[in-house]
Amino acid sequence: MPSLRQLLRTASRLRTQKKSKVPAFEGSPFRKGICLRVYVIKPKKPNSAQRKITKVKLSTGRTILAYIPGIFHTLQEHSHVLVRGGRVKDLPGVNYHCVRAKQDFLPVFERRKGRSKYGCPHPKNYRG
């Protein structure tokens, strides 16, 4: 417990400021950006896969890493994307998601509902 003298010195007890989970957005829910690099990385220990991510330069001037959701994409360098918040738990440092069906990031067409554990050929018109 603080003494009366300590409370008077600091005027009052200060509430701790809530830290933003999306600091690069500067208060906005979404931000536009341009892809600088599109590549794959591997997730943390118990998981194993090839996760697609992109380095994005936002309209605020900041550079972030954003996850590319879905089963395929056509993003490349200089593609325009809309970015939202939302971290990827097994990728350290990836705290943003790209929004599908906005700007150059197309929606998933003809998504395969059943996927074999043992591998099966892609459909004829697969673009991945």
Side-chain angles (χ1 to χ4, degrees):
M1 249 340 245
S3 67
L4 187 62
R5 175 70 53 200
Q6 288 169 326
L7 283 172
L8 288 171
R9 192 172 59 215
T10 60
S12 65
R13 293 186 189 186
L14 300 173
R15 289 269 171 104
T16 55
Q17 290 288 326
K18 190 182 173 196
K19 192 176 158 193
S20 172
K21 291 187 178 182
V22 285
F25 287 3
E26 297 173 3
S28 302
F30 300 95
R31 279 290 180 177
K32 285 192 300 186
I34 297 172
C35 295
L36 302 177
R37 183 175 167 224
V38 180
Y39 57 106
V40 294
I41 57 175
K42 288 195 252 176
K44 278 197 316 193
K45 191 64 182 279
N47 297 333
S48 73
Q50 296 271 293
R51 305 267 196 251
K52 284 83 176 169
I53 64 166
T54 179
K55 195 172 201 173
V56 180
K57 184 170 172 73
L58 296 176
S59 57
T60 58
R62 292 207 194 176
T63 304
I64 58 160
L65 294 177
Y67 180 69
I68 301 171
I71 56 170
F72 79 92
H73 68 88
T74 54
L75 289 183
Q76 54 192 345
E77 203 176 331
H78 307 305
S79 295
H80 291 262
V81 288
L82 188 69
V83 182
R84 67 174 171 86
R87 78 186 190 110
V88 185
K89 198 174 177 190
D90 58 4
L91 299 178
V94 182
N95 297 323
Y96 303 89
H97 272 69
C98 295
V99 179
R100 288 213 85 129
K102 288 289 174 196
Q103 298 178 354
D104 293 343
F105 195 16
L106 297 173
V108 177
F109 294 111
E110 298 171 21
R111 185 177 183 280
R112 295 167 65 206
K113 289 183 174 60
R115 295 186 297 264
S116 167
K117 290 181 197 171
Y118 312 109
C120 60
H122 288 298
K124 293 272 189 231
N125 56 358
Y126 179 72
R127 306 183 311 260

